Amino acid sequence: MAPSTTVSQRKLIKRKAPRGFLRRVFKRQKPHLRLGTGGDLLVHLNCLLFIHRLAEESRTKACEDKCGVIKKEHVMAAAKVILKKSRG
Amino acid sequence: MADSYNPDSEPTTRTLLRRVLDTADPRTPRRRRSAWMSAQKATPETHSSNRQNSGTKTTVRRSQRIRSVSKSAHVQASRQLEEQTPRTLLTNILLTAPESSIVMPEPGVKPLPTPKVAQSSRRESSRGSLELQFQELEPSITVAPSRLALGKRKQRLRLSVFQQEVEQELPPSHEPCGNADASSLTSSLNLTFTTPLQPQSVQRPGLARRPPNRRAVDVNAFLQDIQDTSLALAAPGDNLRTPVATLPTDMVLEDTQPFSHPLVGPSPSAPPSLPCSSHTGAEDVVRLVRHGPQCSSSGVQNKKDGAVPFQDGVHEAEEKMEESWRVNKEKETTTQRPAGMEESEVHTEPEPEGSLGTMDISGKAASPELASSIPEFLQARQLHQLLEQAPPPSTAALSSEPLEPQLTRHPPKARTPSSRSRQDPYKIGLNHYMKFFTFYAKMPMEKKALEMVEKCLDKYFQHLCDDLEAYAAHAGRKTVGPEDLELLMRRQGLVTDQVSLHVLVERHLPLEYRQLLIPCAFSGNSVFPAQ
């Protein structure tokens, strides 16, 4: 159960940005707008920062609950805070 | 004496003596023996008895050496050697004779063992030298089993006659026999016989050529001899000693066989082969081989006296038997394998209908079974596959199988990409960022938590797009530029007065992306990206 339910920490990760994916997402959300050069990279950066903040917040939440594993509740609580902070 | 007699009876006497007495014993003595047997029986015996006491081994060895040197020398020396050789023969006979006489009941068996001995002697000669083996064995099996049988019978007659005559003259001969018996009983004599045999085999290649001719000549003479022998056997039965002598002769032959012990083994096979002489050589060989073990056992029982020579003979007989068995097995395999072929073919036939893969498997499965089998099998397979069933099933299978799997495979492939394209393109991107989440979290997390992260990302992108749209619309542009994102990040609190956008780029993006985002001066007074 443990291995199936839990995902271990990643030691290595690709830093390459899914630029195509980001452009497609933006185009699907706002078909009438076009994303300028380097816009997708900045979006990627923004998303990374968002994820970074979300992860740190959820980790702090998990630590507050004295839990070694980040649970769904922790992510929920962190997302509520971070999404509010990341409003434009 | 021997010279004069030899030309007349050389082929018959030589072959008979060689076969009957022992290939192990020098052949010249045999020939001379035959001559003596026919003409002078008592004289050589006396000489032999006297000389035997001195030493038979040395004489035999000398005779062999002389033969190797030159045939002419052989002829001259043959007289002396002949005397010596008959001595050895007589000694052997005498040695065996007393034993047989003691045993007495064996005489009834005599006729059978004699032919066996003859065959065995032939085999022994063949054993002695590989060349001889091939020549003798093949002709014996294929060419003239009948001739062999005749030769064997003749040998019996002559042996019996010799023995009878010797027995008549026995009183002188028996004394040497006792000495000879002791020598024969001792392994040393046997060893001496064996050793001379090997050199003979080496030297014999020339001799080996002779036997076939001798045999041919023998056939005619042997027929007469056989008749004579049959008559003699019936007649000598009157004399008590004669049957005993005949029996001992057989025994002597067996004993001399130490080399020939193997001979005794195969010898029993001879009687069956004789009636079957008309049959093919293969059948004879099979019968001989089958009878071989029994014969060897019988020979061992009869000759319990000399265990060592028997063992040697048995080993030799076993080797011969193995060779013959191999031949038989090959024949059997050839005969049986076709059946195996049919079976395998049968197996393959239904399978090919199913699919080519099964065909291959069946062929592979059959191959190990028939691994040792012959190219014939392969040919048969190919024929069956190519001609009969394989082509149609192959075509059908090819058409049906590949099409079906392709159909089955392609749709799933199409499905998988479609499903991925439908679901994934967005989820894959989200997964990419979820991996970032797991990386930044630096803690193990539940999968349900990841699902929540996915939802958060989804909402984040919606808010992001809405904000960017608002900024671009506020600026009166339809293109979202870096300034809009910088403003967004500033509003999100990411970009502050202390931390500029370029700093964040340098911190979180790899070098490739940094070069695209941060303007940098290059050589030639150029800046990239242009601002």
Side-chain angles (χ1 to χ4, degrees):
Chain A
M1 292 297 291
S4 65
T5 54
T6 60
V7 177
S8 64
Q9 177 189 356
R10 268 182 189 277
K11 302 296 182 184
L12 297 175
I13 194 170
K14 284 184 180 180
R15 302 186 68 186
K16 188 173 184 177
R19 301 179 68 171
F21 162 75
L22 293 173
R23 285 186 175 278
R24 258 182 277 125
V25 169
F26 184 79
K27 202 66 178 176
R28 192 178 66 182
Q29 294 284 341
K30 306 298 177 183
H32 57 281
L33 296 176
R34 67 180 279 267
L35 197 61
T37 58
D40 52 353
L41 290 176
L42 291 175
V43 171
H44 173 68
L45 176 62
N46 194 357
C47 186
L48 280 181
L49 293 173
F50 168 76
I51 291 293
H52 188 72
R53 287 205 293 186
L54 181 64
E56 285 185 350
E57 187 66 19
S58 61
R59 185 176 62 199
T60 56
K61 294 287 182 183
C63 290
E64 287 176 358
D65 290 347
K66 296 181 179 178
C67 183
V69 178
I70 296 173
K71 293 182 180 177
K72 181 180 177 180
E73 298 78 21
H74 305 152
V75 177
M76 282 286 289
K80 201 174 277 187
V81 176
I82 300 300
L83 283 175
K84 190 172 287 185
K85 283 186 178 180
S86 64
R87 283 185 304 185
Chain B
M1 294 299 292
D3 294 345
S4 63
Y5 290 101
N6 290 338
D8 297 341
S9 63
E10 280 181 353
T12 58
T13 56
R14 290 175 185 174
T15 56
L16 293 173
L17 291 174
R18 289 176 186 174
R19 293 173 185 173
V20 176
L21 294 176
D22 291 332
T23 53
D25 293 346
R27 293 179 181 176
T28 55
R30 295 177 186 173
R31 298 174 185 175
R32 297 162 187 175
R33 291 175 185 175
S34 64
W36 293 338
M37 293 296 285
S38 62
Q40 296 176 349
K41 295 175 182 176
T43 55
E45 290 174 356
T46 57
H47 293 286
S48 65
S49 63
N50 295 332
R51 292 179 184 177
Q52 285 173 353
N53 296 334
S54 64
T56 57
K57 298 177 182 178
T58 57
T59 57
V60 173
R61 293 177 182 175
R62 292 174 183 174
S63 66
Q64 293 175 352
R65 293 175 184 175
I66 293 165
R67 291 174 185 174
S68 63
V69 173
S70 63
K71 293 179 180 178
S72 62
H74 294 291
V75 175
Q76 294 174 351
S78 64
R79 296 176 182 175
Q80 297 175 352
L81 296 174
E82 288 172 356
E83 293 176 355
Q84 295 172 354
T85 56
R87 295 173 186 173
T88 57
L89 295 172
L90 294 172
T91 55
N92 294 330
I93 294 164
L94 295 172
L95 294 172
T96 56
E99 295 174 356
S100 65
S101 64
I102 295 168
V103 177
M104 290 307 293
E106 295 176 354
V109 183
K110 295 176 182 178
L112 296 174
T114 53
K116 294 176 182 179
V117 172
Q119 293 178 351
S120 63
S121 64
R122 295 174 184 175
R123 292 179 182 177
E124 288 175 353
S125 63
S126 65
R127 293 174 186 173
S129 62
L130 296 175
E131 295 176 354
L132 293 173
Q133 290 177 352
F134 291 104
Q135 295 174 348
E136 291 180 354
L137 291 175
E138 293 175 354
S140 64
I141 296 167
T142 58
V143 176
S146 63
R147 292 178 180 178
L148 293 174
L150 296 173
K152 295 172 184 177
R153 292 177 184 175
K154 292 176 181 178
Q155 291 175 354
R156 295 176 187 174
L157 295 172
R158 292 178 180 176
L159 291 174
S160 62
V161 172
F162 280 107
Q163 291 173 355
Q164 293 174 356
E165 294 174 352
V166 171
E167 288 175 355
Q168 292 173 355
E169 298 173 353
L170 282 178
S173 65
H174 284 289
E175 295 175 355
C177 293
N179 296 332
D181 290 345
S183 63
S184 66
L185 293 174
T186 58
S187 62
S188 63
L189 291 176
N190 295 334
L191 293 173
T192 57
F193 288 105
T194 57
T195 52
L197 291 175
Q198 294 175 350
Q200 289 177 352
S201 64
V202 175
Q203 297 172 351
R204 287 180 183 177
L207 296 175
R209 295 174 184 174
R210 297 176 182 176
N213 295 333
R214 296 172 184 173
R215 290 177 184 175
V217 175
D218 293 345
V219 175
N220 297 330
F222 278 111
L223 295 173
Q224 297 175 353
D225 293 343
I226 291 164
Q227 295 173 354
D228 297 341
T229 55
S230 63
L231 297 173
L233 290 173
D238 298 342
N239 296 337
L240 295 175
R241 288 184 180 180
T242 55
V244 174
T246 55
L247 293 174
T249 55
D250 298 340
M251 293 302 290
V252 170
L253 294 174
E254 292 174 354
D255 292 347
T256 56
Q257 291 171 354
F259 350 95
S260 70
H261 289 294
L263 299 177
V264 175
S267 64
S269 63
S273 66
L274 295 173
C276 299
S277 61
S278 63
H279 295 282
T280 60
E283 293 176 353
D284 294 344
V285 172
V286 173
R287 293 177 182 176
L288 292 172
V289 173
R290 292 177 183 174
H291 292 286
Q294 297 175 352
C295 298
S296 62
S297 63
S298 64
V300 172
Q301 293 175 353
N302 293 335
K303 300 178 180 176
K304 292 177 182 178
D305 297 343
V308 175
F310 280 111
Q311 292 176 352
D312 297 341
V314 171
H315 289 291
E316 294 177 354
E318 290 178 354
E319 294 177 353
K320 295 178 179 178
M321 292 296 294
E322 291 177 354
E323 294 177 353
S324 62
W325 274 108
R326 290 176 184 173
V327 176
N328 294 334
K329 287 179 179 178
E330 292 177 353
K331 294 177 180 178
E332 292 178 356
T333 53
T334 54
T335 56
Q336 293 176 350
R337 285 173 184 172
M341 293 291 293
E342 294 175 355
E343 294 177 354
S344 63
E345 291 172 356
V346 172
H347 290 290
T348 56
E349 290 174 356
E351 292 176 356
E353 297 176 356
S355 63
L356 292 175
T358 56
M359 287 291 292
D360 295 343
I361 294 167
S362 65
K364 291 176 181 179
S367 63
E369 295 175 356
L370 301 175
S372 64
S373 68
I374 307 155
E376 295 177 354
F377 172 80
L378 296 175
Q379 294 176 353
R381 278 192 199 165
Q382 293 176 351
L383 293 174
H384 287 282
Q385 292 178 351
L386 295 174
L387 297 175
E388 295 176 355
Q389 299 171 347
S394 65
T395 54
L398 291 172
S399 62
S400 64
E401 290 181 352
L403 292 175
E404 293 176 356
Q406 288 176 354
L407 294 173
T408 56
R409 291 174 185 174
H410 286 288
K413 288 180 180 177
R415 290 173 187 172
T416 53
S418 66
S419 63
R420 287 181 182 177
S421 64
R422 293 172 185 173
Q423 301 174 352
D424 286 352
Y426 185 66
K427 284 189 176 180
I428 286 173
L430 294 181
N431 271 331
H432 185 265
Y433 289 103
M434 289 166 66
K435 292 175 183 176
F436 279 103
F437 183 89
T438 57
F439 176 76
Y440 289 124
K442 297 180 180 178
M443 284 177 68
M445 58 187 298
E446 293 178 352
K447 288 187 176 180
K448 291 181 179 178
L450 280 177
E451 293 177 357
M452 285 301 298
V453 173
E454 187 176 354
K455 289 182 180 178
C456 292
L457 280 171
D458 188 13
K459 284 193 177 276
Y460 165 78
F461 278 111
Q462 288 182 359
H463 292 301
L464 181 71
C465 292
D466 292 338
D467 294 341
L468 289 176
E469 181 186 9
Y471 297 147
H474 179 73
R477 295 178 275 107
K478 290 187 177 178
T479 301
V480 177
E483 56 274 10
D484 296 332
L485 284 167
E486 184 178 3
L487 178 60
L488 176 65
M489 292 173 77
R490 185 175 293 276
R491 285 183 61 83
Q492 287 176 349
L494 299 174
V495 174
T496 60
D497 294 339
Q498 288 77 21
V499 177
S500 67
L501 180 63
H502 295 295
V503 173
L504 292 175
V505 170
E506 290 176 356
R507 284 180 183 174
H508 296 280
L509 292 181
L511 178 61
E512 304 86 49
Y513 299 147
R514 189 200 308 172
Q515 291 176 348
L516 296 176
L517 294 176
I518 299 173
C520 182
F522 288 89
S523 64
N525 193 20
S526 63
V527 176
F528 181 85
Q531 265 184 343

